[in-house]
Amino acid sequence: MSSKGLLFVVSAPSGTGKTTVAEQLVKIVPTLELSRSYTSRAPRANERDGVDYHFISREAFEARVAHDDFLEHADVFGNLYGTGRAETEARLASGRDLMLVIDVQGARQVRQKRPGTIGIFVLPPSFQVLEHRLRGRSQDAESAIQRRLATARSEVSAVAGYDYVVINDELDRAVAELRGIVLAERARRERRMDLVAPIVKTFQ
Ligand code: 5GP
């Protein structure tokens, strides 16, 4: 599986603000794109098919799993989510860097399949802050909030498998830190050999 672009996976407990951080990031970093996932979840009032997600039926999702059409897929809060394999490979092959904002189960699968994947975990400042945000932002029932908090406890324990951690205490600061990670990864020497070799040659 060869590719030219870099693959980033970003995970965080629900309510941490990872989607907002990632959406702000791609606005300010050229040639970095967000992946659009497939999901069997119903769209929320403000969501559009083909923009926020590809919304498909559970049957269609399962058919895609059977055809091995996903790079990764997972059941999150009872809904199915997955990253399309063909579109991911095509975008990376064309040299664009891609960011997947996916849960910890999916991130684990991607890291196994593509060892060069760069993992970034976004943490809220504390469990109490996460709880406060979840209660503040949503019309979710108490049972749904409790389920998200219980999932958050187990998700946070997966942080050890990631390369970088960003603490989302303040949006602009978190976006700046994420941008720093992307730029540093791009600047790694082994990824710059096509630029380095001709410059070194001018010294000979
Ligand atoms: P939501 O339904 O709130 O949009 O997302 C719920 C969870 O599913 C979030 O943790 C989100 O990161 C995760 N998610 C979204 N897309 C994907 C995907 O393609 N694969 C996996 N494994 N998780 C996803």
Side-chain angles (χ1 to χ4, degrees):
M1 215 184 287
S2 71
S3 74
K4 293 197 290 183
L6 299 178
L7 183 58
F8 296 89
V9 292
V10 176
S11 305
S14 164
T16 306
K18 60 184 179 297
T19 309
T20 311
V21 173
E23 283 172 355
Q24 295 295 317
L25 179 74
V26 294
K27 286 186 191 160
I28 59 168
V29 178
T31 67
L32 177 69
E33 299 180 359
L34 281 183
S35 170
R36 189 169 299 115
S37 298
Y38 291 78
T39 183
S40 70
R41 167 168 81 61
R44 296 182 184 125
N46 57 339
E47 288 179 328
R48 281 186 296 151
D49 184 36
V51 177
D52 300 284
Y53 283 103
H54 298 293
F55 293 99
I56 60 176
S57 66
R58 182 168 278 265
E59 294 68 38
F61 195 103
E62 282 163 356
R64 289 186 65 99
V65 173
H67 286 116
D68 199 22
D69 284 344
F70 289 122
L71 174 62
E72 62 75 33
H73 61 93
D75 183 322
V76 188
F77 303 126
N79 293 308
L80 306 175
Y81 296 84
T83 304
R85 180 193 301 284
E87 50 262 53
T88 302
E89 296 302 340
R91 285 163 94 175
L92 291 172
S94 75
R96 285 167 290 178
D97 296 340
L98 197 57
M99 184 164 275
L100 315 183
V101 183
I102 61 177
D103 89 313
V104 297
Q105 309 168 69
R108 199 173 299 127
Q109 296 169 42
V110 176
R111 286 200 311 267
Q112 273 167 10
K113 288 183 187 159
R114 301 190 62 110
T117 302
I118 301 136
I120 305 169
F121 201 90
V122 181
L123 273 176
S126 69
F127 181 82
Q128 288 71 22
V129 170
L130 181 69
E131 182 169 13
H132 185 73
R133 284 184 192 166
L134 280 176
R135 290 189 191 288
R137 79 160 187 189
S138 78
Q139 313 84 15
D140 285 351
E142 179 60 24
S143 60
I145 292 173
Q146 288 303 333
R147 190 173 51 156
R148 285 178 193 273
L149 290 172
T151 306
R153 287 189 201 275
S154 67
E155 284 178 330
V156 162
S157 67
V159 66
Y162 289 71
D163 303 296
Y164 295 95
V165 172
V166 170
I167 297 165
N168 189 14
D169 46 3
E170 204 260 307
L171 179 63
D172 290 348
R173 205 203 54 76
V175 172
E177 205 166 282
L178 208 55
R179 176 171 176 270
I181 293 167
V182 171
L183 298 188
E185 283 293 333
R186 284 181 176 175
R188 289 183 75 93
R189 194 243 323 122
E190 69 271 19
R191 297 193 179 122
R192 289 223 155 144
M193 284 317 284
D194 52 339
L195 298 175
V196 169
I199 294 172
V200 169
K201 213 168 164 191
T202 67
F203 285 76
Q204 288 160 356

